[in-house]
Amino acid sequence: MKNVMRKLAMGGLLVLAAGAASAEVNVIFVEPARYSDLSFNPVIRQEVLKELNKHFLRLGTELVPGQNLHIRVTDVDLVGQLYPGRGADELRVIRHRADWPRINLQYTIESNGQVLRSGEAQLRDMTFMRHISRYTDGDGLHYEKRMIDDWFYSTIVSERTAGR
């Protein structure tokens, strides 16, 4: 019984230590009402921001434990052009390759209160229609997510592995 209690106590400490060392992602959308291209419908606008936030959080699982990534999104221009319809209906149309997705952001990576790296990024994918994506066409933000992935893995993760 004593041995079982000791193992449970050690397991609890390991869980606490792992939680304390886990990476965190904090995303702030700066004045989203002024973004270049989001829905006119406030409910759809919030859903898009929520989905982008969720994607950044999912990528954060790739961070080194103990690192924190702070992202300030300053502009979003989704792929295509948005055409308002009647009522709540809107239609997003991709007519030309010039309708590429764009996101501007500022980022800071810190660990133990020390800033490891920070910068600004202007994410652009002018060849968005030429790439194979792991996201399905049913995902309304699949072009944007792939673009964010490219930035994250080339800027955040590659810097981490280069420093080893």
Side-chain angles (χ1 to χ4, degrees), residues 32-49:
R34 295 182 182 261
Y35 286 178
S36 296
D37 179 32
L38 280 183
S39 174
F40 300 108
N41 181 323
V43 174
I44 296 172
R45 176 184 292 262
Q46 282 306 107
E47 283 300 314
V48 168
L49 296 177

PDB file of all heavy atoms in Angstrom, residues 32-49:
ATOM      1  N   PRO A  32     -10.018  43.851 -34.911  1.00  0.00           N
ATOM      2  CA  PRO A  32     -10.475  43.040 -36.046  1.00  0.00           C
ATOM      3  C   PRO A  32     -11.534  43.716 -36.909  1.00  0.00           C
ATOM      4  O   PRO A  32     -11.681  43.366 -38.079  1.00  0.00           O
ATOM      5  CB  PRO A  32     -11.016  41.774 -35.392  1.00  0.00           C
ATOM      6  CG  PRO A  32     -11.250  42.120 -33.968  1.00  0.00           C
ATOM      7  CD  PRO A  32     -10.294  43.220 -33.628  1.00  0.00           C
ATOM      8  N   ALA A  33     -12.239  44.685 -36.386  1.00  0.00           N
ATOM      9  CA  ALA A  33     -13.236  45.406 -37.194  1.00  0.00           C
ATOM     10  C   ALA A  33     -12.571  46.197 -38.321  1.00  0.00           C
ATOM     11  O   ALA A  33     -13.220  46.554 -39.305  1.00  0.00           O
ATOM     12  CB  ALA A  33     -14.057  46.341 -36.311  1.00  0.00           C
ATOM     13  N   ARG A  34     -11.275  46.453 -38.196  1.00  0.00           N
ATOM     14  CA  ARG A  34     -10.543  47.215 -39.214  1.00  0.00           C
ATOM     15  C   ARG A  34      -9.760  46.314 -40.179  1.00  0.00           C
ATOM     16  O   ARG A  34      -9.035  46.813 -41.030  1.00  0.00           O
ATOM     17  CB  ARG A  34      -9.578  48.189 -38.546  1.00  0.00           C
ATOM     18  CG  ARG A  34     -10.268  49.260 -37.751  1.00  0.00           C
ATOM     19  CD  ARG A  34      -9.229  50.204 -37.164  1.00  0.00           C
ATOM     20  NE  ARG A  34      -9.840  51.219 -36.369  1.00  0.00           N
ATOM     21  CZ  ARG A  34     -10.081  52.458 -36.794  1.00  0.00           C
ATOM     22  NH1 ARG A  34      -9.757  52.805 -38.008  1.00  0.00           N
ATOM     23  NH2 ARG A  34     -10.643  53.327 -35.993  1.00  0.00           N
ATOM     24  N   TYR A  35      -9.884  45.023 -40.031  1.00  0.00           N
ATOM     25  CA  TYR A  35      -9.146  44.108 -40.913  1.00  0.00           C
ATOM     26  C   TYR A  35      -9.575  44.297 -42.354  1.00  0.00           C
ATOM     27  O   TYR A  35     -10.731  44.632 -42.638  1.00  0.00           O
ATOM     28  CB  TYR A  35      -9.362  42.658 -40.499  1.00  0.00           C
ATOM     29  CG  TYR A  35      -8.625  42.248 -39.238  1.00  0.00           C
ATOM     30  CD1 TYR A  35      -8.778  40.969 -38.737  1.00  0.00           C
ATOM     31  CD2 TYR A  35      -7.786  43.115 -38.549  1.00  0.00           C
ATOM     32  CE1 TYR A  35      -8.113  40.561 -37.586  1.00  0.00           C
ATOM     33  CE2 TYR A  35      -7.125  42.721 -37.402  1.00  0.00           C
ATOM     34  CZ  TYR A  35      -7.291  41.444 -36.925  1.00  0.00           C
ATOM     35  OH  TYR A  35      -6.637  41.038 -35.789  1.00  0.00           O
ATOM     36  N   SER A  36      -8.661  44.032 -43.261  1.00  0.00           N
ATOM     37  CA  SER A  36      -8.908  44.223 -44.692  1.00  0.00           C
ATOM     38  C   SER A  36     -10.077  43.405 -45.211  1.00  0.00           C
ATOM     39  O   SER A  36     -10.843  43.870 -46.042  1.00  0.00           O
ATOM     40  CB  SER A  36      -7.657  43.852 -45.501  1.00  0.00           C
ATOM     41  OG  SER A  36      -6.605  44.707 -45.185  1.00  0.00           O
ATOM     42  N   ASP A  37     -10.201  42.158 -44.728  1.00  0.00           N
ATOM     43  CA  ASP A  37     -11.205  41.298 -45.335  1.00  0.00           C
ATOM     44  C   ASP A  37     -11.672  40.223 -44.365  1.00  0.00           C
ATOM     45  O   ASP A  37     -11.058  39.172 -44.248  1.00  0.00           O
ATOM     46  CB  ASP A  37     -10.623  40.635 -46.588  1.00  0.00           C
ATOM     47  CG  ASP A  37     -11.592  39.712 -47.272  1.00  0.00           C
ATOM     48  OD1 ASP A  37     -12.804  39.983 -47.228  1.00  0.00           O
ATOM     49  OD2 ASP A  37     -11.136  38.726 -47.858  1.00  0.00           O
ATOM     50  N   LEU A  38     -12.742  40.517 -43.681  1.00  0.00           N
ATOM     51  CA  LEU A  38     -13.464  39.526 -42.883  1.00  0.00           C
ATOM     52  C   LEU A  38     -14.938  39.736 -43.163  1.00  0.00           C
ATOM     53  O   LEU A  38     -15.343  40.758 -43.707  1.00  0.00           O
ATOM     54  CB  LEU A  38     -13.190  39.685 -41.381  1.00  0.00           C
ATOM     55  CG  LEU A  38     -11.897  39.100 -40.846  1.00  0.00           C
ATOM     56  CD1 LEU A  38     -11.828  39.289 -39.331  1.00  0.00           C
ATOM     57  CD2 LEU A  38     -11.727  37.634 -41.169  1.00  0.00           C
ATOM     58  N   SER A  39     -15.722  38.806 -42.755  1.00  0.00           N
ATOM     59  CA  SER A  39     -17.158  38.855 -43.006  1.00  0.00           C
ATOM     60  C   SER A  39     -17.792  40.128 -42.449  1.00  0.00           C
ATOM     61  O   SER A  39     -17.351  40.669 -41.439  1.00  0.00           O
ATOM     62  CB  SER A  39     -17.818  37.633 -42.364  1.00  0.00           C
ATOM     63  OG  SER A  39     -19.208  37.719 -42.474  1.00  0.00           O
ATOM     64  N   PHE A  40     -18.848  40.564 -43.106  1.00  0.00           N
ATOM     65  CA  PHE A  40     -19.642  41.678 -42.604  1.00  0.00           C
ATOM     66  C   PHE A  40     -20.519  41.214 -41.445  1.00  0.00           C
ATOM     67  O   PHE A  40     -20.927  42.003 -40.611  1.00  0.00           O
ATOM     68  CB  PHE A  40     -20.530  42.253 -43.718  1.00  0.00           C
ATOM     69  CG  PHE A  40     -19.752  42.762 -44.887  1.00  0.00           C
ATOM     70  CD1 PHE A  40     -19.764  42.071 -46.093  1.00  0.00           C
ATOM     71  CD2 PHE A  40     -18.996  43.916 -44.789  1.00  0.00           C
ATOM     72  CE1 PHE A  40     -19.042  42.543 -47.178  1.00  0.00           C
ATOM     73  CE2 PHE A  40     -18.267  44.392 -45.865  1.00  0.00           C
ATOM     74  CZ  PHE A  40     -18.290  43.701 -47.065  1.00  0.00           C
ATOM     75  N   ASN A  41     -20.808  39.928 -41.418  1.00  0.00           N
ATOM     76  CA  ASN A  41     -21.648  39.332 -40.391  1.00  0.00           C
ATOM     77  C   ASN A  41     -20.808  39.106 -39.130  1.00  0.00           C
ATOM     78  O   ASN A  41     -19.822  38.368 -39.166  1.00  0.00           O
ATOM     79  CB  ASN A  41     -22.204  38.007 -40.910  1.00  0.00           C
ATOM     80  CG  ASN A  41     -23.113  37.318 -39.938  1.00  0.00           C
ATOM     81  OD1 ASN A  41     -22.899  37.335 -38.736  1.00  0.00           O
ATOM     82  ND2 ASN A  41     -24.143  36.674 -40.469  1.00  0.00           N
ATOM     83  N   PRO A  42     -21.175  39.725 -37.991  1.00  0.00           N
ATOM     84  CA  PRO A  42     -20.364  39.600 -36.783  1.00  0.00           C
ATOM     85  C   PRO A  42     -20.238  38.165 -36.263  1.00  0.00           C
ATOM     86  O   PRO A  42     -19.218  37.795 -35.699  1.00  0.00           O
ATOM     87  CB  PRO A  42     -21.062  40.491 -35.754  1.00  0.00           C
ATOM     88  CG  PRO A  42     -22.352  40.896 -36.345  1.00  0.00           C
ATOM     89  CD  PRO A  42     -22.331  40.596 -37.804  1.00  0.00           C
ATOM     90  N   VAL A  43     -21.252  37.348 -36.476  1.00  0.00           N
ATOM     91  CA  VAL A  43     -21.181  35.952 -36.029  1.00  0.00           C
ATOM     92  C   VAL A  43     -20.142  35.187 -36.850  1.00  0.00           C
ATOM     93  O   VAL A  43     -19.309  34.467 -36.301  1.00  0.00           O
ATOM     94  CB  VAL A  43     -22.572  35.274 -36.117  1.00  0.00           C
ATOM     95  CG1 VAL A  43     -22.470  33.795 -35.809  1.00  0.00           C
ATOM     96  CG2 VAL A  43     -23.560  35.964 -35.191  1.00  0.00           C
ATOM     97  N   ILE A  44     -20.167  35.369 -38.164  1.00  0.00           N
ATOM     98  CA  ILE A  44     -19.199  34.697 -39.034  1.00  0.00           C
ATOM     99  C   ILE A  44     -17.789  35.231 -38.757  1.00  0.00           C
ATOM    100  O   ILE A  44     -16.821  34.472 -38.702  1.00  0.00           O
ATOM    101  CB  ILE A  44     -19.578  34.873 -40.517  1.00  0.00           C
ATOM    102  CG1 ILE A  44     -20.918  34.183 -40.795  1.00  0.00           C
ATOM    103  CG2 ILE A  44     -18.489  34.329 -41.421  1.00  0.00           C
ATOM    104  CD1 ILE A  44     -21.489  34.451 -42.164  1.00  0.00           C
ATOM    105  N   ARG A  45     -17.681  36.542 -38.547  1.00  0.00           N
ATOM    106  CA  ARG A  45     -16.388  37.156 -38.228  1.00  0.00           C
ATOM    107  C   ARG A  45     -15.791  36.513 -36.978  1.00  0.00           C
ATOM    108  O   ARG A  45     -14.625  36.122 -36.961  1.00  0.00           O
ATOM    109  CB  ARG A  45     -16.570  38.655 -38.008  1.00  0.00           C
ATOM    110  CG  ARG A  45     -15.317  39.392 -37.587  1.00  0.00           C
ATOM    111  CD  ARG A  45     -15.631  40.857 -37.303  1.00  0.00           C
ATOM    112  NE  ARG A  45     -15.982  41.556 -38.505  1.00  0.00           N
ATOM    113  CZ  ARG A  45     -15.141  42.308 -39.205  1.00  0.00           C
ATOM    114  NH1 ARG A  45     -13.919  42.465 -38.806  1.00  0.00           N
ATOM    115  NH2 ARG A  45     -15.537  42.907 -40.301  1.00  0.00           N
ATOM    116  N   GLN A  46     -16.589  36.352 -35.940  1.00  0.00           N
ATOM    117  CA  GLN A  46     -16.111  35.732 -34.697  1.00  0.00           C
ATOM    118  C   GLN A  46     -15.710  34.279 -34.916  1.00  0.00           C
ATOM    119  O   GLN A  46     -14.745  33.801 -34.339  1.00  0.00           O
ATOM    120  CB  GLN A  46     -17.166  35.831 -33.595  1.00  0.00           C
ATOM    121  CG  GLN A  46     -17.236  37.196 -32.945  1.00  0.00           C
ATOM    122  CD  GLN A  46     -15.887  37.651 -32.417  1.00  0.00           C
ATOM    123  OE1 GLN A  46     -15.263  38.534 -32.992  1.00  0.00           O
ATOM    124  NE2 GLN A  46     -15.436  37.070 -31.341  1.00  0.00           N
ATOM    125  N   GLU A  47     -16.464  33.560 -35.750  1.00  0.00           N
ATOM    126  CA  GLU A  47     -16.140  32.161 -36.042  1.00  0.00           C
ATOM    127  C   GLU A  47     -14.788  32.053 -36.746  1.00  0.00           C
ATOM    128  O   GLU A  47     -14.008  31.154 -36.460  1.00  0.00           O
ATOM    129  CB  GLU A  47     -17.236  31.504 -36.884  1.00  0.00           C
ATOM    130  CG  GLU A  47     -18.455  31.131 -36.087  1.00  0.00           C
ATOM    131  CD  GLU A  47     -18.152  30.145 -34.962  1.00  0.00           C
ATOM    132  OE1 GLU A  47     -17.440  29.154 -35.196  1.00  0.00           O
ATOM    133  OE2 GLU A  47     -18.615  30.386 -33.840  1.00  0.00           O
ATOM    134  N   VAL A  48     -14.525  32.955 -37.685  1.00  0.00           N
ATOM    135  CA  VAL A  48     -13.238  32.947 -38.394  1.00  0.00           C
ATOM    136  C   VAL A  48     -12.104  33.214 -37.416  1.00  0.00           C
ATOM    137  O   VAL A  48     -11.089  32.506 -37.411  1.00  0.00           O
ATOM    138  CB  VAL A  48     -13.236  33.978 -39.544  1.00  0.00           C
ATOM    139  CG1 VAL A  48     -11.825  34.198 -40.089  1.00  0.00           C
ATOM    140  CG2 VAL A  48     -14.176  33.538 -40.653  1.00  0.00           C
ATOM    141  N   LEU A  49     -12.261  34.221 -36.565  1.00  0.00           N
ATOM    142  CA  LEU A  49     -11.218  34.543 -35.587  1.00  0.00           C
ATOM    143  C   LEU A  49     -11.020  33.394 -34.602  1.00  0.00           C
ATOM    144  O   LEU A  49      -9.885  33.058 -34.235  1.00  0.00           O
ATOM    145  CB  LEU A  49     -11.553  35.837 -34.849  1.00  0.00           C
ATOM    146  CG  LEU A  49     -11.605  37.092 -35.724  1.00  0.00           C
ATOM    147  CD1 LEU A  49     -12.013  38.295 -34.884  1.00  0.00           C
ATOM    148  CD2 LEU A  49     -10.288  37.331 -36.440  1.00  0.00           C
TER     149      LEU A  49
END
